[in-house]
Amino acid sequence: MDVATPLLSDVNRRDLPTAPTEHGEVFTRRWVVNLILDLLGYTADKDLCDVKLVEPACGSGAFLVAVASRISASCRRHNRPLGDAFAAVRALDLLARNVQQSRAVVERQLVGEGWPAAEARQVAAAWVKQGDYLLQPQVDHRADYVVGNPPYIRLEDVPGERMAAYRSACSTMGGRADIYIGFYEVALRSLNPDGRLGFICADRWMRNQYGRRLRQLVTSRFSMDLALIMHDVDAFEDQVSAYPAITLISNRPQGRAVAADTTRAFGSAQAISFADWYAKDTESITSPAFQAARMPHWFPDEDSWPAASPARLALLEELTERFRLLEDSQTGTRVGIGIATGADKVFLTEDGSLVESDRLLPMAMVRDTTSGTLNWNGTYLVNPWTAEGDLVDLTAYPQLAAYLENHGDALRKRYVAVKQPQRWYKTIDKVDDGLTRRPKLLFPDMKLTIHPVLDEGALYPHHNLYFIVSEAWDMCVLGGLLLSKVAEAFVEAYAVKMRGGTLRFQAQYLRKIRVPDPQAISEGDQDALRKAFDKRDVQAATEAALRVYGLAELPD
């Protein structure tokens, strides 16, 4: 039995998974395998003996059967003996039974295509080995193509020593990563120049936190060529909820990219149609089974990649190319979050005489923004901060001192107080003294639709409200722009969507919005945006925004 590396030999073999479900095995249908190979250009018209294909986790041989068939056809087309393909494939699997099964199906396929049994057996044995792909020396699997369906196993479900070895070997496997993250990383680093990776795998890494390091690796060194979402497609032999996507990534500078999505109608015939469309480099397409759009580039930001229809993604990529981010030092535009106190029951009050009047700061709460016009309900912050950003001297404020001391036990138990006992009465965040008086747009954290509300400079936002301030923007013009469905499209593509379709309008998502130069908006469009914002007319705001962005329509 081959031992992959000394690291693996340190792992207790009794801890290795034995059942397919424990091993994260999900077997891919043959037409899906063929689609991936076609998209990669791994086809029999090429001399496949002269390139190297690696499959990191071969399972029962679903990919290898198709690879063997294509190599067989290539050998005959190019008048080469099968023996010339001994080094053309390297496939690994952790489980001995999978190795034996994969060898058997490769041998059976080659014999069925007319090759001598002894030669077919030798080729199968040369191609398929037992070992742990994540812990192999890099030199063992340099590749022109890496294909497969990486295992789906949460890292915390891997035995401790092996998990430590994986984390040491794969820098992208941070947090609570699934081990398929490591398969992506090792595969990408193994690609020869212009080499290509084609995986069918869960697409969660494109957006969630544990995929950030992998996204950073892709955007910094590789070309994201295709993301074909297949959530509703029967792509596997067993029914699984894997949120799969076919991902193609190349070892070259970022070039044109394709975003595509499928419906339940996507099957083997539709896969052939999609591969034909992809190879022809034609423009966007929509059909009952799939829709796809070509983009000049993939999204450059590793924080998160957007999720939307292909047409919507193409539009967002175009706007990303043409316009600046909303948060911009050149216009003095900033996105922030209101104050977190760490003890709202103490620091928030509706009693205007509770403490000294200059220690009460009017607060904007989410409930004040419900109508779309700011209607203050009388909430104050008991403010322990001076205008200079220091904590007040309590001896100068006897009412404040008495009030805070009455709640001293609760305040002193907070983490921020335990860490700094002498500052026991501080709020988590400091008060930015000038923010109250500045005109600002307020955004409730959770809403079904984007909901900017103007504060002309009277209140300080609570931490369930996000705010935008700017040196250059007329806040009503910006409010109209942000009320539009164009602005909402950015947030919807990036934001976490809660139950019932509620969106999170947090700072990191508002910062994704692209906007034109405020000076470039015509007076007529500025007036239209102001009026739409004042009337809370989303349709009018969207129509004006489309003109400002130079768009004919906003695709679904």
Side-chain angles (χ1 to χ4, degrees):
M1 180 176 64
D2 295 332
V3 176
T5 140
L7 283 172
L8 185 59
S9 66
D10 292 338
V11 178
N12 186 338
R13 292 285 174 171
R14 290 173 298 179
D15 288 339
L16 293 178
T18 56
T21 53
E22 294 171 353
H23 192 48
E25 294 176 287
V26 180
F27 301 120
T28 313
R29 294 190 182 279
R30 177 63 180 269
W31 67 264
V32 177
V33 173
N34 283 331
L35 173 59
I36 293 172
L37 296 177
D38 288 342
L39 292 171
L40 288 172
Y42 189 85
T43 51
D45 58 301
K46 296 182 174 66
D47 193 345
L48 299 181
C49 291
D50 289 340
V51 294
K52 177 72 169 290
L53 179 143
V54 170
E55 187 182 1
C58 61
S60 61
F63 278 82
L64 288 176
V65 170
V67 169
S69 180
R70 293 181 184 222
I71 287 180
S72 171
S74 175
C75 285
R76 290 210 160 89
R77 177 172 294 197
H78 295 277
N79 297 313
R80 299 189 66 165
L82 183 61
D84 285 359
F86 270 35
V89 175
R90 179 176 175 81
L92 290 171
D93 202 275
L94 268 176
L95 301 182
R97 70 160 188 274
N98 283 350
V99 171
Q100 295 305 316
Q101 186 173 354
S102 290
R103 287 175 177 173
V105 296
V106 167
E107 180 182 345
R108 186 162 56 248
Q109 180 70 32
L110 293 173
V111 170
E113 299 201 12
W115 298 99
E119 191 174 19
R121 189 176 303 113
Q122 290 175 336
V123 167
W127 286 1
V128 187
K129 303 289 184 182
Q130 185 173 5
D132 191 326
Y133 179 74
L134 298 187
L135 303 178
Q136 293 281 302
Q138 284 282 325
V139 69
D140 285 358
H141 45 72
R142 296 301 304 175
D144 301 295
Y145 300 91
V146 181
V147 301
N149 174 10
Y152 296 59
I153 308 174
R154 298 292 297 181
L155 198 53
E156 60 264 30
D157 294 332
V158 175
E161 289 182 67
R162 187 149 58 100
M163 178 177 69
Y166 287 168
R167 287 193 186 276
S168 177
C170 305
S171 61
T172 59
M173 292 180 70
R176 302 181 64 187
D178 190 297
I179 69 167
Y180 72 75
I181 295 292
F183 278 78
Y184 268 102
E185 177 184 344
V186 174
L188 289 171
R189 296 188 189 281
S190 76
L191 289 176
N192 292 324
D194 293 319
R196 308 188 74 189
L197 173 150
F199 279 169
I200 180 166
C201 191
D203 66 354
R204 290 310 189 235
W205 69 275
M206 299 183 193
R207 282 167 287 281
N208 63 20
Q209 183 60 33
Y210 74 62
R212 182 174 183 178
R213 295 181 190 176
L214 178 56
R215 293 192 297 271
Q216 185 176 34
L217 176 64
V218 173
T219 56
S220 64
R221 290 185 48 189
F222 299 92
S223 176
M224 182 74 177
D225 297 334
L226 169 67
L228 174 60
I229 306 303
M230 301 177 67
H231 291 182
D232 296 325
V233 176
D234 188 15
F236 304 112
E237 297 294 344
D238 298 314
Q239 293 297 318
V240 293
S241 298
Y243 302 105
I246 291 176
T247 308
L248 267 56
I249 307 173
S250 297
N251 185 10
R252 59 180 176 84
Q254 179 66 56
R256 296 189 75 189
V258 169
D261 200 357
T262 57
T263 70
R264 292 184 183 275
F266 193 82
S268 57
Q270 293 77 21
I272 293 171
S273 297
F274 178 81
D276 288 342
W277 171 86
Y278 185 80
K280 291 174 183 175
D281 199 28
T282 52
E283 293 307 311
S284 302
I285 185 172
T286 298
S287 74
F290 65 89
Q291 54 180 312
R294 296 192 190 274
M295 303 180 291
H297 307 284
W298 190 252
F299 296 87
D301 193 350
E302 70 271 9
D303 282 348
S304 179
W305 290 340
S309 71
R312 183 70 65 88
L313 287 177
L315 172 69
L316 295 180
E317 200 277 339
E318 177 194 344
L319 297 180
T320 297
E321 287 282 302
R322 292 200 286 125
F323 297 101
R324 300 178 65 87
L325 289 166
L326 171 62
E327 186 167 73
D328 185 356
S329 60
Q330 289 191 17
T331 60
T333 305
R334 178 168 65 92
V335 181
I337 185 173
I339 189 169
T341 70
D344 279 359
K345 290 182 179 180
V346 176
F347 285 109
L348 299 186
T349 183
E350 295 181 6
D351 184 351
S353 60
L354 182 69
V355 297
E356 291 82 356
S357 60
D358 65 336
R359 292 297 92 210
L360 292 174
L361 181 63
M363 289 283 292
M365 309 296 288
V366 168
R367 63 182 179 178
D368 302 333
T369 68
T370 302
S371 69
T373 301
L374 193 61
N375 296 306
W376 185 49
N377 282 275
T379 301
Y380 294 94
L381 172 73
V382 177
N383 182 14
W385 300 98
T386 68
E388 294 73 32
D390 300 315
L391 284 172
V392 298
D393 180 357
L394 291 179
T395 61
Y397 293 94
Q399 287 180 271
L400 176 64
Y403 174 73
L404 293 175
E405 194 56 59
N406 284 341
H407 296 279
D409 288 345
L411 293 177
R412 288 183 173 92
K413 290 177 182 177
R414 297 174 304 150
Y415 175 77
V416 292
V418 171
K419 191 175 179 181
Q420 297 178 299
Q422 73 282 7
R423 297 166 64 83
W424 61 274
Y425 56 97
K426 72 187 290 286
T427 53
I428 291 176
D429 298 327
K430 282 187 178 183
V431 168
D432 176 357
D433 184 66
L435 180 60
T436 300
R437 296 183 295 277
R438 294 190 67 177
K440 51 193 168 291
L441 294 172
L442 302 176
F443 294 80
D445 181 356
M446 293 186 287
K447 292 287 286 186
L448 286 169
T449 59
I450 197 164
H451 190 76
V453 176
L454 179 64
D455 172 13
E456 294 181 347
L459 304 177
Y460 200 95
H462 185 246
H463 73 88
N464 285 331
L465 288 170
Y466 293 84
F467 66 84
I468 297 173
V469 293
S470 180
E471 301 291 343
W473 279 96
D474 176 322
M475 299 307 286
C476 289
V477 173
L478 181 59
L481 197 67
L482 297 181
L483 183 66
S484 74
K485 290 297 183 181
V486 181
E488 185 177 280
F490 281 95
V491 177
E492 188 176 28
Y494 286 98
V496 173
K497 187 170 288 188
M498 311 298 287
R499 182 173 297 177
T502 298
L503 293 170
R504 303 296 302 272
F505 290 91
Q506 297 173 313
Q508 66 264 37
Y509 307 130
L510 294 171
R511 291 186 181 114
K512 298 292 186 183
I513 298 173
R514 297 278 174 160
V515 294
D517 182 339
Q519 303 302 318
I521 302 176
S522 71
E523 288 192 13
D525 284 335
Q526 288 189 43
D527 188 52
L529 288 168
R530 285 193 200 96
K531 289 179 179 177
F533 183 56
D534 181 60
K535 295 179 179 179
R536 308 300 295 179
D537 188 334
V538 174
Q539 182 176 345
T542 301
E543 290 172 357
L546 289 171
R547 291 195 300 271
V548 167
Y549 284 103
L551 301 173
E553 62 179 358
L554 183 65
D556 293 333

